[in-house]
C-alpha cells in the first residue's frame, strides 16, 4: 500500500514538473503579445533616455510589438524604481535604470526597495565616471593630483553632480584611500560643475566620461582617470583608478534593465537574450560609444553579480565616510 502511494506521489510530482515546464515554455513563446514599457528614472532627452530609445527601437522591430520608453524622474530615481517594483511580474513593465539603483540601497537608512524586489535582466552599457581637472592644474595624472593635495591639505576642491552621487562617493573614496583632504562641492548636475571648473572656482570634478569627454576639444579640461574595469576604447590614454593604484575606488556606473521579482524565468531569459543581441549590433555599439559609454550586454546572472558587488563596494565607501543623501 505504501509503495503504491509513493508511486502515485512520484507520478503526481513528475506531472506537476512537466506542467510547469510547459507553462514556462508557453509564456516564453507568447511573450510579448502586447506593448512593453521601459520606465526610466531620469528626464526625457538625457543620456539614459537616448540609450533606452535606441535599444527599444531595435527590440520593437524584432518583437513586432511597441517598446515604449516612459520617463518618470524624481526622488533620486526612487519614484520610477518603486513604481516598477509594484507592477505586475509579467515582463511588460521593465526598469531601465542606472547604477544609482545600487547606491540608493546603501545611501539610505531605510531604502524604499530591496535588490530582491527585482530580477536582473542585462547591463546594457557601462557609464564610466571620470575625474577631470582644469588645464591650469599643474598635474596631469592621479599621482600628481595626490602630491598637490598632500602638499596643501584642504586647498583643492572637487565638484560632483550631487550629494551622494557616484562622483561624490568616488571622490570621498579617493580621499580615504590616498590619505588626502580634497574638499567636496555638490552641484545640481554636471554642467554647473563644468562651468566652475573652467572659471577656476574648483580644480577637479567628477562626472560622466560622455560629458567631460565632449569638453576636451575646447582645451579647458583634461581627463585624469576613469572608474572602469579597463581603459576605454574612446580614451585609451586615460588610466583607470585601479591602474593608478586605487582599485577600491574603481567603481563603474552603468545602465541596465530589471524586471519585477517573480517574473517567469523564461521571460527574463528571453528578455535578456534580446538585450544581449541588440547590444551586440554594430550600429548600436557605435552609437553607445558616441555617447561616451561602453557597450556590455551581459547575462541576467552576471548582471545580478555586478549589482551585489556594487552594493558591497559602494557601501564600504559610504560607511567609511558617513555619506548620506540630502
Amino acid at each position: 500500500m505504501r509503495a503504491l502511494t509513493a508511486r502515485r506521489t512520484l507520478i503526481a510530482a513528475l506531472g506537476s514538473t512537466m506542467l510547469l515546464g510547459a507553462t514556462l515554455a508557453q509564456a516564453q513563446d507568447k511573450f510579448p503579445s502586447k506593448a512593453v514599457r521601459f520606465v526610466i528614472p531620469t528626464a526625457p532627452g538625457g543620456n539614459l533616455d537616448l540609450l533606452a530609445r535606441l535599444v527599444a527601437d531595435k527590440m520593437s522591430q524584432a518583437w513586432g510589438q511597441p517598446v515604449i520608453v516612459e520617463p518618470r524622474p524624481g526622488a533620486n530615481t526612487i519614484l520610477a524604481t518603486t513604481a516598477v517594483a509594484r507592477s505586475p511580474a509579467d515582463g511588460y513593465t521593465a526598469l531601465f535604470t542606472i547604477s544609482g539603483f545600487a547606491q540608493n540601497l546603501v545611501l539610505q537608512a531605510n531604502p524604499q526597495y530591496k535588490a530582491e524586489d527585482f530580477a536582473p535582466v542585462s547591463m546594457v552599457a557601462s557609464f564610466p565616471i571620470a575625474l577631470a581637472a582644469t588645464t591650469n592644474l599643474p598635474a596631469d595624472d592621479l599621482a600628481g593630483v595626490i602630491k598637490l593635495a598632500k602638499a596643501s591639505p584642504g586647498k583643492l576642491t572637487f565638484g560632483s553632480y550631487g550629494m551622494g552621487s557616484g562622483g561624490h562617493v568616488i571622490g570621498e573614496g579617493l580621499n580615504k584611500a590616498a590619505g588626502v583632504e580634497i574638499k567636496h562641492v555638490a552641484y545640481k548636475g554636471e554642467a554647473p560643475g563644468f562651468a566652475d571648473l573652467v572659471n577656476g572656482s574648483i580644480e577637479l570634478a567628477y562626472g560622466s566620461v560622455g560629458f567631460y569627454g565632449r569638453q576636451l576639444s575646447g582645451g579647458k579640461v583634461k581627463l585624469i582617470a576613469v572608474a572602469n574595469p579597463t581603459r576605454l576604447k574612446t580614451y585609451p590614454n586615460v588610466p583607470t583608478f585601479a591602474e593608478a593604484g586605487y582599485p577600491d575606488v574603481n567603481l563603474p556606473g552603468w545602465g541596465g534593465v530589471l524586471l519585477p521579482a517573480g517574473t517567469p524565468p523564461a521571460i527574463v531569459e528571453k528578455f535578456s537574450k534580446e538585450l544581449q543581441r541588440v547590444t551586440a549590433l554594430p550600429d548600436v555599439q557605435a552609437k553607445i560609444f558616441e555617447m561616451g559609454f561602453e557597450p556590455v550586454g551581459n547575462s541576467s546572472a552576471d548582471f545580478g553579480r555586478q549589482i551585489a558587488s556594487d552594493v558591497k563596494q559602494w557601501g564600504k565607501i559610504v560607511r567609511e565616510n558617513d555619506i548620506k543623501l540630502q
Side-chain angles (χ1 to χ4, degrees), residues 128-143:
I129 296 172
L131 172 59
T134 173
T135 51
N136 295 326
L137 190 73
D140 295 320
D141 57 22
L142 200 52

Side-chain angles (χ1 to χ4, degrees), residues 40 159 197 223 239-240 260:
I40 65 170
L197 188 66
L223 296 184
T240 67

Side-chain angles (χ1 to χ4, degrees), residues 121-126 255 272 275-280 285 288 294-300 302:
V121 180
S122 180
M123 182 194 299
V124 176
S126 65
S272 180
L275 283 171
Q276 292 174 60
R277 183 194 71 81
V278 168
T279 305
Q285 293 211 344
I288 290 176
E294 297 266 307
V296 179
N298 60 6
S299 68
S300 173
D302 285 342

Side-chain angles (χ1 to χ4, degrees), residues 28-286:
Q28 184 178 26
D29 290 341
K30 289 185 176 182
F31 180 83
S33 59
K34 60 181 181 180
V36 173
R37 288 189 305 149
F38 276 147
V39 179
I40 65 170
T42 56
N47 283 330
L48 185 67
D49 183 46
L50 296 175
L51 178 64
R53 292 182 190 281
L54 171 65
V55 171
D57 286 346
K58 295 292 185 180
M59 294 178 70
S60 181
Q61 293 171 23
W63 281 353
Q65 297 289 346
V67 180
I68 302 164
V69 176
E70 180 184 311
R72 195 176 292 192
N76 201 48
T77 77
I78 293 171
L79 188 63
T81 306
T82 53
V84 173
R86 294 191 297 263
S87 298
D90 55 10
Y92 289 96
T93 302
L95 179 67
F96 201 134
T97 191
I98 54 178
S99 47
F101 172 88
Q103 293 162 26
N104 283 334
L105 294 173
V106 296
L107 284 166
Q108 296 188 342
N110 297 296
Q112 296 183 37
Y113 62 89
K114 305 185 296 294
E116 294 77 17
D117 293 335
F118 294 87
V121 180
S122 180
M123 182 194 299
V124 176
S126 65
F127 296 175
I129 296 172
L131 172 59
T134 173
T135 51
N136 295 326
L137 190 73
D140 295 320
D141 57 22
L142 200 52
V145 170
I146 299 303
K147 184 177 179 180
L148 288 175
K150 287 186 175 180
S152 303
K155 182 179 179 180
L156 295 183
T157 53
F158 76 88
S160 80
Y161 42 95
M163 185 69 70
S165 66
H168 178 202
V169 174
I170 289 176
E172 297 294 0
L174 180 64
N175 277 346
K176 186 80 171 182
V180 296
E181 183 188 353
I182 305 176
K183 292 184 177 180
H184 175 235
V185 181
Y187 292 89
K188 293 182 178 179
E190 293 172 316
F194 171 71
D196 273 4
L197 188 66
V198 171
N199 68 31
S201 297
I202 57 175
E203 295 81 17
L204 302 160
Y206 289 87
S208 67
V209 171
F211 178 83
Y212 278 102
R214 289 193 292 271
Q215 317 304 328
L216 294 179
S217 59
K220 296 179 179 178
V221 300
K222 53 190 174 183
L223 296 184
I224 300 297
V226 293
N228 203 59
T230 59
R231 291 198 182 198
L232 306 179
K233 292 182 180 179
T234 43
Y235 303 101
N237 295 325
V238 181
T240 67
F241 280 91
E243 287 180 294
Y246 302 97
D248 288 344
V249 297
N250 208 50
L251 302 168
W254 47 258
V257 177
L258 302 100
L259 288 166
T263 301
I267 290 178
V268 175
E269 182 66 11
K270 185 172 186 177
F271 215 126
S272 180
K273 286 184 176 178
E274 178 60 15
L275 283 171
Q276 292 174 60
R277 183 194 71 81
V278 168
T279 305
L281 294 173
D283 60 327
V284 171
Q285 293 211 344

